[in-house]
Amino acid sequence: MSTSGTLARAVGEYLDERRRLGFQMHGSELRRFARYADEQKHEGPITAQLQITWARMHVRKTTDGTGTRRLQSIRPFVVYYRQYEPASVVLDPTVLGPVRGRPTPHIYTGGELADLVDAAAALEGSDGLRGLAHATLFGLIATAGLRLSEAINLTNADVDLATCQLTVRMTKFRKTRRLPLQSSTVAALAAWCQQRDRTWARDPEGPFFLGQRGTALKRRNVEWIFEGLRRSLCWKSRGSLPQPRIHDLRHTFAVHRVQLWHEQQAPIEQAMFWLCTYLGHSKISDTYWYLTAVPELMAIAGRRFEQYVGDTRTVGDA
């Protein structure tokens, strides 16, 4: 990597190199930092003052974790950049406050999921498909545990209704995986295809979900529609964030699946490896994190511990 020229150029080269290694790098926060540094005519090593000043920009409250998150986002680049500018300072992100853990998700109830699908289906559109498209999309995310980007990037070739399988290609960790689908999910997808194909000619390589103009759904538009539905449904968040998110549908899938395994007395430890593969995680620890600090699963863990203690006492008394 060359350090000549602007920091924005160095960041671009860094992101390109990481992508070649198989990482999915958006780098939006890092690019903002580079633009700020270039606007300040910064040259040479990346200083502590440069990083801290940028991280504190537009932060209204000293207790806000924004500054800490910003420092976390640029730290890997600064570590890498030190190869070329050894005097660059790698900051401890906690210099601006404690590093917060991942947020506790909102786990949807069955009633909330049904209300979301019904509200989405009632959406009006010029082609008559707007409501059905979003109802099917949200339902698929909830029943297959997909990321939003994975769902809207599906093509017709990825959805095999005959074999009840879904192919999710080159996702967050550059993985492709095939997922089995429940019969009820297949029926909903088939109903969407039938209605869609009456309006738009099917392109085998084209997007599975179409918007009002026959083009692929846009993420920002889906999120905007979800926010409107969320307000109309008056949900109260049961997670650590102010409002439930689309991504919480994926968390809900994972939690409900583990609850079902518990009810079936399945070997949870083995099943977690299956869930890790199904969700497309690179590490089993990421899958276990999905299940932490969730009251529904903490209750299961508590019951298991009580059973363990009871069994131990029985053995000790024998």
Side-chain angles (χ1 to χ4, degrees), residues 10-29:
V11 165
E13 293 175 0
Y14 163 77
L15 293 174
D16 288 343
E17 185 165 339
R18 297 292 286 175
R19 292 184 184 113
R20 285 194 295 270
L21 293 173
F23 294 91
Q24 187 177 31
M25 303 290 292
H26 297 294
S28 56
E29 197 75 274

Side-chain angles (χ1 to χ4, degrees), residues 22-48:
F23 294 91
Q24 187 177 31
M25 303 290 292
H26 297 294
S28 56
E29 197 75 274
L30 184 53
R31 291 185 185 279
R32 280 191 283 270
F33 169 68
R35 285 196 298 270
Y36 168 77
D38 290 340
E39 290 170 358
Q40 302 302 311
K41 309 297 182 184
H42 176 79
E43 295 181 356
I46 300 175
T47 64

Side-chain angles (χ1 to χ4, degrees), residues 131-299:
L132 184 58
H134 288 85
T136 308
L137 175 70
F138 295 142
L140 178 61
I141 293 173
T143 57
L146 300 182
R147 302 176 178 95
L148 174 58
S149 59
E150 293 173 345
I152 61 180
N153 287 334
L154 288 171
T155 67
N156 288 307
D158 295 331
V159 183
D160 191 340
L161 299 180
T163 62
C164 304
Q165 291 188 88
L166 202 67
T167 301
V168 185
R169 304 182 187 278
M170 296 298 287
T171 59
K172 184 175 181 180
F173 299 104
R174 301 289 178 176
K175 290 184 175 183
T176 296
R177 62 192 195 275
R178 290 183 67 84
L179 309 180
L181 297 174
Q182 299 177 6
S183 58
S184 58
T185 303
V186 172
L189 297 179
W192 157 249
C193 288
Q194 185 177 20
Q195 289 292 99
R196 180 201 62 191
D197 293 348
R198 290 175 181 174
T199 304
W200 306 105
R202 178 187 291 228
D203 177 1
E205 300 300 325
F208 182 75
F209 289 107
L210 298 177
Q212 296 188 62
R213 297 182 180 180
T215 57
L217 293 175
K218 302 296 183 183
R219 183 186 184 110
R220 62 180 179 274
N221 292 339
V222 173
E223 290 175 338
W224 179 79
I225 287 175
F226 177 82
E227 289 173 5
L229 296 174
R230 182 179 62 198
R231 287 193 298 270
S232 69
L233 293 169
C234 301
W235 288 328
K236 292 184 178 180
S237 176
R238 292 185 296 277
S240 60
L241 295 176
Q243 300 291 344
R245 308 165 298 168
I246 295 177
H247 196 65
D248 290 334
L249 296 171
R250 177 171 159 88
H251 285 272
T252 300
F253 165 82
V255 170
H256 286 177
R257 175 53 53 184
V258 175
Q259 286 178 312
L260 178 61
W261 285 331
H262 172 73
E263 293 169 1
Q264 297 172 342
Q265 297 184 338
I268 300 296
E269 292 76 12
Q270 296 177 20
M272 288 299 292
F273 283 98
W274 177 88
L275 184 60
C276 177
T277 302
Y278 192 96
L279 292 172
H281 287 157
S282 62
K283 299 179 295 184
I284 188 68
S285 58
D286 293 333
T287 309
Y288 274 104
W289 168 75
Y290 264 52
L291 311 179
T292 60
V294 175
E296 292 84 350
L297 296 183
M298 292 298 288

Side-chain angles (χ1 to χ4, degrees), residues 58-192:
H58 311 303
V59 177
R60 297 180 180 179
K61 298 180 180 179
T62 55
T63 57
D64 197 308
T66 302
T68 300
R69 290 194 297 271
R70 287 174 180 169
L71 290 182
Q72 283 182 296
S73 69
I74 66 174
R75 193 172 191 272
F77 169 72
V78 179
V79 171
Y80 185 80
Y81 195 75
R82 286 184 70 181
Q83 299 177 79
Y84 310 98
E85 291 285 357
S88 295
V89 179
V90 179
L91 288 172
D92 181 346
T94 60
V95 70
L96 295 183
V99 176
R100 296 183 179 180
R102 294 175 175 179
T104 302
H106 172 95
I107 304 303
Y108 292 92
T109 65
E112 288 173 337
L113 292 175
D115 290 343
L116 174 62
V117 171
D118 290 344
L123 291 170
E124 297 181 355
S126 58
D127 59 2
L129 295 179
R130 183 168 178 255
L132 184 58
H134 288 85
T136 308
L137 175 70
F138 295 142
L140 178 61
I141 293 173
T143 57
L146 300 182
R147 302 176 178 95
L148 174 58
S149 59
E150 293 173 345
I152 61 180
N153 287 334
L154 288 171
T155 67
N156 288 307
D158 295 331
V159 183
D160 191 340
L161 299 180
T163 62
C164 304
Q165 291 188 88
L166 202 67
T167 301
V168 185
R169 304 182 187 278
M170 296 298 287
T171 59
K172 184 175 181 180
F173 299 104
R174 301 289 178 176
K175 290 184 175 183
T176 296
R177 62 192 195 275
R178 290 183 67 84
L179 309 180
L181 297 174
Q182 299 177 6
S183 58
S184 58
T185 303
V186 172
L189 297 179
W192 157 249

